[in-house]
Coordinates of all heavy atoms in Angstrom, one line a residue:
M1 N -72.0 -104.4 122.8 CA -73.1 -105.2 122.4 C -73.1 -105.5 120.9 O -73.7 -104.7 120.2 CB -74.4 -104.6 122.8 CG -74.6 -104.4 124.3 SD -76.3 -103.7 124.5 CE -76.8 -104.8 125.8
P2 N -72.3 -106.4 120.5 CA -72.2 -106.7 119.0 C -73.5 -107.3 118.5 O -74.3 -107.9 119.2 CB -71.1 -107.7 118.9 CG -71.1 -108.4 120.2 CD -71.5 -107.4 121.2
L3 N -73.7 -107.1 117.2 CA -74.9 -107.7 116.5 C -74.6 -109.1 116.2 O -73.5 -109.5 115.9 CB -75.2 -106.9 115.2 CG -75.6 -105.5 115.4 CD1 -75.7 -104.9 114.0 CD2 -76.9 -105.4 116.1
L4 N -75.6 -109.9 116.3 CA -75.5 -111.3 115.9 C -75.3 -111.4 114.4 O -75.8 -110.6 113.6 CB -76.8 -112.1 116.3 CG -77.1 -112.2 117.8 CD1 -78.4 -112.9 118.0 CD2 -76.0 -112.9 118.5
Q5 N -74.6 -112.4 114.0 CA -74.2 -112.6 112.6 C -75.5 -112.7 111.7 O -75.6 -112.1 110.6 CB -73.4 -113.8 112.4 CG -72.8 -114.0 111.0 CD -71.8 -112.9 110.6 OE1 -71.2 -112.3 111.5 NE2 -71.8 -112.5 109.4
Q6 N -76.5 -113.4 112.2 CA -77.8 -113.5 111.4 C -78.4 -112.2 111.2 O -78.9 -111.8 110.1 CB -78.7 -114.5 112.1 CG -80.0 -114.7 111.4 CD -80.9 -115.6 112.2 OE1 -80.6 -116.0 113.3 NE2 -82.1 -115.9 111.7
R7 N -78.5 -111.4 112.3 CA -79.1 -110.0 112.2 C -78.3 -109.1 111.3 O -78.9 -108.3 110.5 CB -79.2 -109.4 113.6 CG -79.9 -108.1 113.6 CD -81.3 -108.1 113.2 NE -81.9 -106.8 113.2 CZ -82.7 -106.3 112.3 NH1 -83.1 -107.1 111.3 NH2 -83.2 -105.1 112.3
K8 N -77.0 -109.3 111.3 CA -76.1 -108.5 110.4 C -76.4 -108.8 109.0 O -76.6 -107.9 108.1 CB -74.7 -108.8 110.7 CG -73.8 -107.6 111.0 CD -72.4 -108.1 111.2 CE -71.8 -107.4 112.4 NZ -70.4 -107.6 112.5
Q9 N -76.6 -110.1 108.6 CA -76.9 -110.5 107.3 C -78.3 -110.0 106.8 O -78.4 -109.6 105.7 CB -76.8 -112.0 107.1 CG -75.5 -112.6 107.3 CD -74.5 -112.0 106.2 OE1 -74.9 -111.8 105.1 NE2 -73.3 -111.8 106.6
E10 N -79.2 -110.0 107.7 CA -80.6 -109.4 107.4 C -80.5 -107.9 107.1 O -81.1 -107.5 106.1 CB -81.5 -109.6 108.6 CG -81.9 -111.0 108.9 CD -82.7 -111.2 110.2 OE1 -83.1 -110.2 110.8 OE2 -82.9 -112.3 110.6
L11 N -79.7 -107.2 107.9 CA -79.6 -105.8 107.6 C -78.9 -105.5 106.3 O -79.2 -104.6 105.5 CB -78.8 -105.1 108.8 CG -79.5 -104.9 110.1 CD1 -78.6 -104.5 111.2 CD2 -80.7 -103.9 109.9
I12 N -77.8 -106.3 106.0 CA -77.1 -106.1 104.8 C -78.0 -106.4 103.6 O -78.0 -105.6 102.6 CB -75.8 -107.0 104.7 CG1 -74.8 -106.5 105.7 CG2 -75.2 -107.1 103.3 CD1 -73.6 -107.5 105.9
S13 N -78.7 -107.5 103.6 CA -79.6 -107.8 102.5 C -80.7 -106.8 102.3 O -81.2 -106.5 101.2 CB -80.2 -109.2 102.7 OG -81.0 -109.3 103.8
D14 N -81.2 -106.2 103.4 CA -82.3 -105.2 103.4 C -81.8 -103.8 102.8 O -82.5 -103.1 102.1 CB -82.9 -104.9 104.7 CG -83.7 -106.1 105.2 OD1 -84.1 -106.9 104.4 OD2 -84.1 -106.1 106.4
Y15 N -80.6 -103.4 103.1 CA -80.1 -102.1 102.8 C -79.0 -102.0 101.8 O -78.5 -100.9 101.5 CB -79.6 -101.4 104.1 CG -80.8 -101.1 105.0 CD1 -81.1 -101.9 106.1 CD2 -81.5 -99.9 104.8 CE1 -82.1 -101.6 106.9 CE2 -82.6 -99.6 105.7 CZ -82.9 -100.5 106.7 OH -83.9 -100.2 107.6
Q16 N -78.6 -103.1 101.2 CA -77.5 -103.1 100.2 C -77.9 -102.4 98.9 O -79.1 -102.5 98.5 CB -77.0 -104.5 99.9 CG -77.9 -105.5 99.3 CD -77.4 -106.9 99.2 OE1 -76.3 -107.1 99.7 NE2 -78.1 -107.8 98.6
V17 N -77.0 -101.7 98.3 CA -77.2 -101.0 97.1 C -77.2 -101.9 95.9 O -77.9 -101.7 95.0 CB -76.2 -99.8 97.0 CG1 -76.4 -99.0 95.7 CG2 -76.3 -98.9 98.2
H18 N -76.2 -102.8 95.9 CA -76.1 -103.8 94.8 C -75.9 -105.2 95.4 O -75.7 -105.3 96.6 CB -75.1 -103.4 93.8 CG -73.7 -103.1 94.4 ND1 -72.8 -104.1 94.7 CD2 -73.1 -102.0 94.8 CE1 -71.7 -103.7 95.2 NE2 -71.9 -102.3 95.3
E19 N -75.8 -106.2 94.6 CA -75.7 -107.6 95.0 C -74.6 -107.9 96.0 O -74.8 -108.6 96.9 CB -75.7 -108.5 93.8 CG -75.8 -109.9 94.1 CD -77.2 -110.3 94.7 OE1 -78.2 -109.7 94.4 OE2 -77.2 -111.2 95.6
T20 N -73.4 -107.4 95.7 CA -72.2 -107.7 96.5 C -71.9 -106.7 97.5 O -70.8 -106.7 98.1 CB -71.0 -108.0 95.6 OG1 -70.7 -106.8 94.9 CG2 -71.2 -109.1 94.6
D21 N -72.8 -105.8 97.8 CA -72.6 -104.7 98.7 C -72.6 -105.1 100.1 O -73.6 -105.7 100.6 CB -73.6 -103.6 98.4 CG -73.5 -102.4 99.4 OD1 -72.4 -102.2 99.9 OD2 -74.5 -101.7 99.6
T22 N -71.6 -104.9 100.9 CA -71.6 -105.2 102.3 C -71.2 -104.0 103.2 O -71.3 -104.1 104.4 CB -70.7 -106.4 102.7 OG1 -69.4 -106.1 102.2 CG2 -71.2 -107.7 102.0
G23 N -70.7 -103.0 102.6 CA -70.1 -101.9 103.4 C -70.4 -100.5 102.9 O -69.7 -99.5 103.3
S24 N -71.5 -100.3 102.1 CA -71.9 -99.0 101.7 C -72.3 -98.2 102.9 O -72.6 -98.7 103.9 CB -72.9 -99.0 100.6 OG -74.2 -99.5 101.2
A25 N -72.4 -96.9 102.7 CA -72.8 -96.0 103.7 C -74.3 -96.3 104.2 O -74.5 -96.3 105.4 CB -72.8 -94.5 103.3
D26 N -75.1 -96.8 103.3 CA -76.5 -97.1 103.7 C -76.5 -98.3 104.7 O -77.2 -98.3 105.7 CB -77.3 -97.5 102.5 CG -77.5 -96.4 101.6 OD1 -76.9 -95.3 101.7 OD2 -78.4 -96.5 100.7
V27 N -75.7 -99.3 104.4 CA -75.6 -100.5 105.3 C -74.9 -100.1 106.6 O -75.4 -100.6 107.6 CB -74.7 -101.6 104.5 CG1 -74.5 -102.8 105.5 CG2 -75.5 -102.1 103.3
Q28 N -73.9 -99.3 106.6 CA -73.3 -98.9 107.8 C -74.2 -98.1 108.7 O -74.2 -98.3 109.9 CB -72.0 -98.0 107.5 CG -70.9 -98.8 106.9 CD -69.7 -97.9 106.6 OE1 -69.3 -97.2 107.5 NE2 -69.2 -97.9 105.4
V29 N -75.0 -97.2 108.1 CA -76.0 -96.5 108.9 C -77.0 -97.4 109.5 O -77.4 -97.3 110.7 CB -76.7 -95.4 108.0 CG1 -77.9 -94.8 108.8 CG2 -75.7 -94.3 107.7
A30 N -77.5 -98.4 108.7 CA -78.5 -99.3 109.3 C -77.9 -100.1 110.4 O -78.6 -100.3 111.5 CB -78.9 -100.3 108.2
M31 N -76.7 -100.6 110.3 CA -76.0 -101.4 111.4 C -75.8 -100.5 112.6 O -76.1 -100.9 113.8 CB -74.7 -102.0 110.9 CG -74.9 -103.2 110.1 SD -73.4 -104.1 110.0 CE -73.5 -104.7 108.3
L32 N -75.4 -99.3 112.4 CA -75.2 -98.3 113.5 C -76.5 -98.0 114.2 O -76.5 -98.0 115.5 CB -74.5 -97.0 113.1 CG -73.0 -97.1 112.9 CD1 -72.6 -95.8 112.2 CD2 -72.3 -97.2 114.2
T33 N -77.6 -97.9 113.5 CA -78.9 -97.6 114.1 C -79.3 -98.7 114.9 O -79.8 -98.5 116.0 CB -79.9 -97.3 113.0 OG1 -79.4 -96.2 112.2 CG2 -81.3 -97.0 113.6
E34 N -79.1 -99.9 114.5 CA -79.5 -101.1 115.3 C -78.7 -101.2 116.6 O -79.2 -101.4 117.6 CB -79.2 -102.4 114.4 CG -79.6 -103.7 115.1 CD -81.1 -103.9 115.2 OE1 -81.8 -103.3 114.4 OE2 -81.5 -104.8 116.0
R35 N -77.4 -100.9 116.5 CA -76.5 -100.9 117.7 C -76.9 -99.8 118.6 O -76.9 -100.0 119.9 CB -75.0 -100.8 117.3 CG -74.5 -102.1 116.6 CD -73.0 -102.0 116.3 NE -72.2 -101.8 117.5 CZ -71.0 -101.3 117.6 NH1 -70.4 -101.0 116.5 NH2 -70.4 -101.3 118.7
I36 N -77.2 -98.6 118.1 CA -77.6 -97.5 118.9 C -78.9 -97.8 119.7 O -79.0 -97.5 120.9 CB -77.7 -96.2 118.0 CG1 -76.4 -95.7 117.6 CG2 -78.5 -95.1 118.8 CD1 -76.4 -94.7 116.6
N37 N -79.8 -98.4 119.0 CA -81.1 -98.8 119.6 C -80.9 -99.8 120.8 O -81.5 -99.6 121.8 CB -82.1 -99.3 118.6 CG -82.6 -98.3 117.6 OD1 -82.5 -97.1 117.9 ND2 -83.1 -98.7 116.5
R38 N -80.1 -100.8 120.5 CA -79.8 -101.8 121.6 C -79.1 -101.1 122.8 O -79.4 -101.4 123.9 CB -78.9 -102.9 121.0 CG -79.6 -103.8 120.1 CD -78.7 -104.9 119.6 NE -79.4 -106.1 119.4 CZ -78.9 -107.3 119.5 NH1 -77.6 -107.4 119.8 NH2 -79.6 -108.4 119.3
L39 N -78.1 -100.3 122.5 CA -77.4 -99.7 123.6 C -78.2 -98.7 124.3 O -78.1 -98.5 125.5 CB -76.1 -99.0 123.0 CG -75.0 -98.6 124.0 CD1 -74.6 -99.8 124.8 CD2 -73.8 -98.1 123.2
S40 N -79.1 -98.0 123.7 CA -80.1 -97.1 124.4 C -80.9 -97.9 125.4 O -81.2 -97.4 126.5 CB -81.0 -96.4 123.4 OG -80.2 -95.6 122.5
L41 N -81.4 -99.0 125.0 CA -82.2 -99.9 125.9 C -81.3 -100.3 127.1 O -81.8 -100.3 128.2 CB -82.7 -101.1 125.2 CG -83.8 -100.9 124.2 CD1 -84.2 -102.2 123.5 CD2 -85.0 -100.3 124.9
H42 N -80.1 -100.6 126.9 CA -79.2 -101.0 127.9 C -79.0 -99.9 128.9 O -79.0 -100.1 130.1 CB -77.8 -101.5 127.3 CG -76.7 -101.6 128.3 ND1 -76.6 -102.7 129.2 CD2 -75.7 -100.8 128.6 CE1 -75.6 -102.5 130.0 NE2 -75.0 -101.3 129.6
L43 N -78.8 -98.7 128.4 CA -78.5 -97.5 129.2 C -79.8 -97.0 130.0 O -79.6 -96.4 131.0 CB -78.0 -96.4 128.4 CG -76.5 -96.6 127.9 CD1 -76.1 -95.5 126.9 CD2 -75.6 -96.6 129.1
K44 N -80.9 -97.4 129.5 CA -82.1 -97.1 130.3 C -82.2 -97.9 131.6 O -82.7 -97.3 132.6 CB -83.4 -97.4 129.5 CG -83.6 -96.4 128.4 CD -84.9 -96.7 127.6 CE -85.0 -95.6 126.5 NZ -86.2 -95.9 125.7
T45 N -81.6 -99.1 131.6 CA -81.6 -99.9 132.9 C -80.3 -99.7 133.6 O -80.3 -99.9 134.8 CB -81.8 -101.4 132.5 OG1 -80.8 -101.8 131.7 CG2 -83.2 -101.6 131.9
N46 N -79.3 -99.3 133.0 CA -78.0 -99.2 133.6 C -77.5 -97.7 133.5 O -76.7 -97.4 132.7 CB -76.9 -100.1 133.0 CG -77.3 -101.5 133.1 OD1 -77.3 -102.1 134.2 ND2 -77.7 -102.1 132.0
K47 N -78.1 -96.9 134.3 CA -77.9 -95.4 134.2 C -76.5 -95.0 134.5 O -76.0 -93.9 134.0 CB -78.9 -94.7 135.1 CG -80.3 -94.9 134.7 CD -81.3 -94.1 135.5 CE -82.7 -94.4 135.2 NZ -83.1 -94.4 133.9
K48 N -75.7 -95.7 135.2 CA -74.4 -95.3 135.7 C -73.3 -95.9 134.8 O -72.1 -95.8 135.1 CB -74.1 -95.7 137.1 CG -75.0 -95.0 138.1 CD -74.7 -95.2 139.5 CE -75.6 -94.4 140.4 NZ -75.2 -94.6 141.8
D49 N -73.6 -96.5 133.7 CA -72.7 -97.1 132.8 C -72.1 -96.0 131.8 O -72.6 -95.9 130.7 CB -73.3 -98.2 132.0 CG -72.3 -99.1 131.2 OD1 -71.1 -98.7 131.2 OD2 -72.7 -100.1 130.6
H50 N -71.2 -95.2 132.3 CA -70.7 -94.1 131.6 C -69.8 -94.5 130.4 O -69.8 -93.8 129.4 CB -70.0 -93.1 132.5 CG -70.9 -92.6 133.6 ND1 -72.0 -91.8 133.3 CD2 -70.8 -92.8 134.9 CE1 -72.6 -91.5 134.5 NE2 -71.9 -92.1 135.4
A51 N -69.1 -95.6 130.5 CA -68.3 -96.1 129.4 C -69.1 -96.4 128.2 O -68.8 -96.0 127.0 CB -67.5 -97.3 129.8
S52 N -70.3 -97.1 128.4 CA -71.2 -97.4 127.3 C -71.8 -96.1 126.7 O -72.1 -96.0 125.5 CB -72.2 -98.4 127.7 OG -71.7 -99.6 128.0
R53 N -72.1 -95.2 127.6 CA -72.7 -93.9 127.2 C -71.7 -93.2 126.2 O -72.1 -92.6 125.2 CB -73.0 -93.0 128.3 CG -73.8 -91.8 128.0 CD -74.3 -91.1 129.2 NE -75.0 -91.9 130.2 CZ -76.2 -92.3 130.1 NH1 -77.0 -91.9 129.1 NH2 -76.8 -93.0 131.1
K54 N -70.4 -93.2 126.5 CA -69.4 -92.6 125.7 C -69.4 -93.3 124.3 O -69.3 -92.6 123.3 CB -68.1 -92.6 126.3 CG -67.0 -92.0 125.5 CD -65.7 -92.0 126.2 CE -64.6 -91.3 125.3 NZ -63.3 -91.3 126.0
G55 N -69.5 -94.6 124.3 CA -69.5 -95.4 123.1 C -70.7 -95.1 122.2 O -70.7 -94.9 121.0
L56 N -71.9 -94.9 122.9 CA -73.1 -94.5 122.3 C -73.0 -93.2 121.6 O -73.4 -93.0 120.4 CB -74.3 -94.5 123.3 CG -75.6 -94.0 122.7 CD1 -76.2 -95.0 121.8 CD2 -76.6 -93.7 123.9
L57 N -72.4 -92.2 122.2 CA -72.2 -90.9 121.7 C -71.3 -90.9 120.4 O -71.5 -90.2 119.5 CB -71.7 -89.9 122.7 CG -72.7 -89.6 123.8 CD1 -72.0 -88.7 124.9 CD2 -73.9 -88.9 123.3
R58 N -70.3 -91.8 120.5 CA -69.4 -91.9 119.3 C -70.1 -92.5 118.2 O -69.9 -92.1 117.0 CB -68.2 -92.8 119.7 CG -67.2 -92.1 120.6 CD -66.0 -93.0 120.8 NE -65.2 -93.0 119.6 CZ -64.2 -93.9 119.4 NH1 -63.8 -94.7 120.3 NH2 -63.5 -93.8 118.2
M59 N -71.0 -93.5 118.4 CA -71.7 -94.1 117.3 C -72.7 -93.2 116.7 O -72.9 -93.1 115.5 CB -72.5 -95.4 117.9 CG -71.6 -96.6 118.0 SD -72.6 -98.0 118.4 CE -72.6 -98.0 120.2
I60 N -73.4 -92.3 117.6 CA -74.3 -91.3 117.1 C -73.6 -90.3 116.2 O -74.1 -90.0 115.1 CB -75.0 -90.7 118.2 CG1 -76.0 -91.6 118.9 CG2 -75.8 -89.4 117.8 CD1 -76.6 -91.1 120.2
G61 N -72.4 -89.9 116.6 CA -71.6 -89.0 115.8 C -71.2 -89.6 114.5 O -71.3 -88.9 113.4
L62 N -70.8 -90.9 114.5 CA -70.4 -91.5 113.2 C -71.6 -91.6 112.3 O -71.5 -91.4 111.1 CB -69.8 -92.9 113.5 CG -69.4 -93.8 112.3 CD1 -68.4 -93.0 111.4 CD2 -68.9 -95.1 112.8
R63 N -72.8 -92.0 112.9 CA -74.0 -92.1 112.0 C -74.3 -90.8 111.4 O -74.7 -90.7 110.3 CB -75.1 -92.7 112.9 CG -76.4 -92.8 112.1 CD -77.5 -93.4 112.9 NE -78.0 -92.5 113.8 CZ -79.0 -92.7 114.7 NH1 -79.6 -93.9 114.7 NH2 -79.4 -91.8 115.6
K64 N -74.2 -89.7 112.2 CA -74.5 -88.4 111.7 C -73.6 -88.0 110.6 O -74.1 -87.4 109.6 CB -74.3 -87.4 112.9 CG -74.7 -86.0 112.6 CD -74.5 -85.1 113.8 CE -74.9 -83.6 113.4 NZ -74.7 -82.7 114.6
R65 N -72.3 -88.3 110.7 CA -71.4 -88.0 109.6 C -71.7 -88.8 108.3 O -71.7 -88.3 107.2 CB -70.0 -88.3 110.0 CG -69.4 -87.2 111.0 CD -67.9 -87.4 111.2 NE -67.5 -88.7 111.7 CZ -67.4 -89.0 113.0 NH1 -67.8 -88.1 113.9 NH2 -67.0 -90.2 113.4
L66 N -72.1 -90.1 108.5 CA -72.4 -90.9 107.3 C -73.7 -90.4 106.7 O -73.8 -90.4 105.4 CB -72.6 -92.4 107.8 CG -71.3 -93.2 108.0 CD1 -71.6 -94.5 108.7 CD2 -70.6 -93.4 106.8
L67 N -74.7 -90.0 107.5 CA -75.9 -89.5 106.9 C -75.7 -88.2 106.2 O -76.3 -87.9 105.2 CB -77.0 -89.3 108.0 CG -77.7 -90.5 108.5 CD1 -78.5 -90.2 109.8 CD2 -78.5 -91.2 107.5
S68 N -74.8 -87.4 106.7 CA -74.4 -86.1 106.0 C -73.8 -86.4 104.7 O -74.1 -85.7 103.7 CB -73.5 -85.3 106.9 OG -73.0 -84.2 106.2
Y69 N -72.9 -87.4 104.6 CA -72.3 -87.8 103.4 C -73.4 -88.3 102.4 O -73.3 -87.9 101.2 CB -71.3 -89.0 103.6 CG -70.8 -89.6 102.4 CD1 -69.8 -89.0 101.6 CD2 -71.3 -90.9 102.0 CE1 -69.4 -89.6 100.4 CE2 -70.8 -91.5 100.9 CZ -69.9 -90.9 100.1 OH -69.4 -91.5 98.9
I70 N -74.3 -89.1 102.8 CA -75.4 -89.6 101.9 C -76.2 -88.5 101.4 O -76.6 -88.4 100.2 CB -76.2 -90.7 102.6 CG1 -75.4 -91.9 102.9 CG2 -77.4 -91.1 101.8 CD1 -76.1 -92.9 103.8
Q71 N -76.5 -87.5 102.3 CA -77.3 -86.4 101.9 C -76.6 -85.5 100.8 O -77.3 -85.1 99.9 CB -77.7 -85.5 103.1 CG -78.6 -84.4 102.8 CD -79.0 -83.6 104.0 OE1 -78.2 -83.5 105.0 NE2 -80.1 -82.9 104.0
K72 N -75.3 -85.4 100.9 CA -74.6 -84.6 99.9 C -74.5 -85.4 98.6 O -74.6 -84.7 97.5 CB -73.1 -84.4 100.4 CG -73.0 -83.4 101.5 CD -71.6 -83.2 102.0 CE -71.5 -82.4 103.2 NZ -70.2 -82.4 103.8
Q73 N -74.5 -86.7 98.6 CA -74.4 -87.5 97.4 C -75.7 -87.6 96.7 O -75.8 -87.4 95.5 CB -73.9 -88.9 97.7 CG -72.5 -89.0 98.3 CD -71.5 -88.4 97.4 OE1 -71.4 -88.7 96.2 NE2 -70.6 -87.5 97.9
D74 N -76.8 -87.9 97.4 CA -78.1 -88.1 96.8 C -79.2 -87.9 97.9 O -79.4 -88.7 98.7 CB -78.2 -89.6 96.3 CG -79.4 -89.9 95.6 OD1 -80.3 -89.0 95.4 OD2 -79.6 -91.0 95.1
N75 N -79.8 -86.7 97.7 CA -80.8 -86.3 98.7 C -82.0 -87.2 98.8 O -82.6 -87.5 99.8 CB -81.2 -84.8 98.5 CG -81.9 -84.2 99.7 OD1 -81.7 -84.7 100.8 ND2 -82.7 -83.3 99.5
A76 N -82.4 -87.7 97.6 CA -83.6 -88.6 97.6 C -83.3 -89.9 98.4 O -84.2 -90.4 99.1 CB -84.0 -88.9 96.2
R77 N -82.1 -90.5 98.2 CA -81.7 -91.7 98.9 C -81.6 -91.4 100.4 O -82.0 -92.3 101.2 CB -80.4 -92.2 98.3 CG -80.0 -93.5 98.8 CD -78.7 -94.0 98.1 NE -77.6 -93.6 99.0 CZ -76.3 -93.6 98.6 NH1 -76.0 -93.9 97.4 NH2 -75.4 -93.3 99.5
Y78 N -81.1 -90.3 100.7 CA -81.1 -89.9 102.1 C -82.5 -89.8 102.8 O -82.7 -90.4 103.8 CB -80.4 -88.5 102.2 CG -80.5 -87.8 103.6 CD1 -79.8 -88.2 104.7 CD2 -81.4 -86.8 103.8 CE1 -79.9 -87.6 105.9 CE2 -81.6 -86.2 105.0 CZ -80.8 -86.6 106.1 OH -80.9 -86.0 107.3
R79 N -83.4 -89.2 102.1 CA -84.8 -89.1 102.6 C -85.4 -90.5 102.8 O -86.1 -90.8 103.7 CB -85.6 -88.3 101.7 CG -85.2 -86.8 101.6 CD -86.1 -86.0 102.5 NE -85.6 -84.6 102.5 CZ -85.4 -84.0 103.6 NH1 -85.6 -84.5 104.7 NH2 -84.9 -82.7 103.6
A80 N -85.2 -91.4 101.8 CA -85.7 -92.7 101.8 C -85.1 -93.5 103.0 O -85.8 -94.2 103.7 CB -85.5 -93.4 100.5
L81 N -83.8 -93.3 103.2 CA -83.1 -94.1 104.2 C -83.6 -93.6 105.6 O -83.9 -94.5 106.5 CB -81.6 -93.9 104.1 CG -80.8 -94.7 105.1 CD1 -81.0 -96.2 104.9 CD2 -79.3 -94.3 104.9
I82 N -83.7 -92.4 105.9 CA -84.1 -91.9 107.2 C -85.6 -92.3 107.5 O -86.0 -92.5 108.6 CB -83.8 -90.4 107.5 CG1 -84.6 -89.5 106.6 CG2 -82.4 -90.1 107.4 CD1 -84.6 -88.1 106.9
T83 N -86.4 -92.3 106.5 CA -87.8 -92.7 106.6 C -87.8 -94.2 107.0 O -88.6 -94.6 107.9 CB -88.6 -92.5 105.3 OG1 -88.5 -91.1 105.0 CG2 -90.0 -92.8 105.5
R84 N -87.1 -95.0 106.3 CA -87.1 -96.5 106.6 C -86.5 -96.8 107.9 O -87.0 -97.7 108.6 CB -86.1 -97.2 105.5 CG -86.9 -97.7 104.4 CD -85.9 -98.4 103.4 NE -85.8 -99.8 103.7 CZ -84.9 -100.6 103.1 NH1 -84.2 -100.1 102.1 NH2 -84.8 -101.8 103.5
L85 N -85.5 -96.1 108.4 CA -84.9 -96.4 109.7 C -85.7 -95.7 110.8 O -85.5 -96.1 112.0 CB -83.5 -95.9 109.7 CG -82.5 -96.6 108.8 CD1 -81.1 -95.9 108.8 CD2 -82.3 -98.1 109.3
G86 N -86.5 -94.7 110.5 CA -87.2 -94.0 111.6 C -86.3 -93.1 112.4 O -86.5 -92.8 113.5
V87 N -85.2 -92.6 111.7 CA -84.3 -91.6 112.3 C -84.7 -90.2 112.0 O -85.2 -90.0 110.8 CB -82.9 -91.9 111.7 CG1 -81.9 -90.9 112.4 CG2 -82.5 -93.3 112.0
R88 N -84.6 -89.3 112.9 CA -85.0 -87.9 112.7 C -86.4 -87.7 112.3 O -86.8 -87.9 111.2 CB -84.1 -87.2 111.6 CG -82.7 -87.2 112.0 CD -81.9 -86.4 111.0 NE -80.5 -86.5 111.3 CZ -79.5 -86.0 110.6 NH1 -79.8 -85.3 109.5 NH2 -78.3 -86.1 111.0
G89 N -87.2 -87.4 113.3 CA -88.7 -87.2 113.1 C -89.0 -86.1 112.3 O -89.6 -85.7 111.5

């Protein structure tokens, strides 16, 4: 379930660190969170879609590694990001 180009641009503009930023860890985490949320909704209705479930678990693992990287670099930025995204209660 890819993201629409318009939604991708909105996420990039909301989470970019500087003007020409399109691939920082913050932007990647925001995009992954959006994809994870969409795929979670899909899996609630399609419980037997094990291939998508595997992809979901891979995305969650990647997001976890990126968040760990951000936390090591700048803990304040990490806290702000997880609060904005609503990740980890």
Side-chain angles (χ1 to χ4, degrees):
M1 298 183 131
L3 293 174
L4 296 175
Q5 189 65 30
Q6 180 183 3
R7 181 65 182 141
K8 235 185 226 189
Q9 290 301 322
E10 290 171 9
L11 287 171
I12 290 171
S13 63
D14 288 346
Y15 291 96
Q16 64 187 2
V17 178
H18 54 82
E19 188 62 33
T20 59
D21 176 25
T22 57
S24 68
D26 296 13
V27 173
Q28 290 180 52
V29 169
M31 283 195 214
L32 279 170
T33 301
E34 182 76 17
R35 289 182 64 199
I36 287 168
N37 291 339
R38 286 177 147 212
L39 198 51
S40 294
L41 290 175
H42 167 78
L43 288 171
K44 284 181 183 175
T45 57
N46 301 288
K47 296 182 187 309
K48 294 186 178 184
D49 190 354
H50 299 295
S52 292
R53 188 171 311 278
K54 182 178 179 181
L56 174 68
L57 293 174
R58 288 185 70 193
M59 283 189 267
I60 290 171
L62 177 58
R63 181 179 70 180
K64 183 177 178 182
R65 288 191 301 273
L66 285 168
L67 284 171
S68 175
Y69 169 76
I70 293 170
Q71 187 178 23
K72 288 176 188 172
Q73 298 299 313
D74 185 2
N75 197 25
R77 191 174 93 195
Y78 166 77
R79 294 257 176 235
L81 183 63
I82 63 171
T83 303
R84 266 179 87 184
L85 291 172
V87 181
R88 297 188 185 174

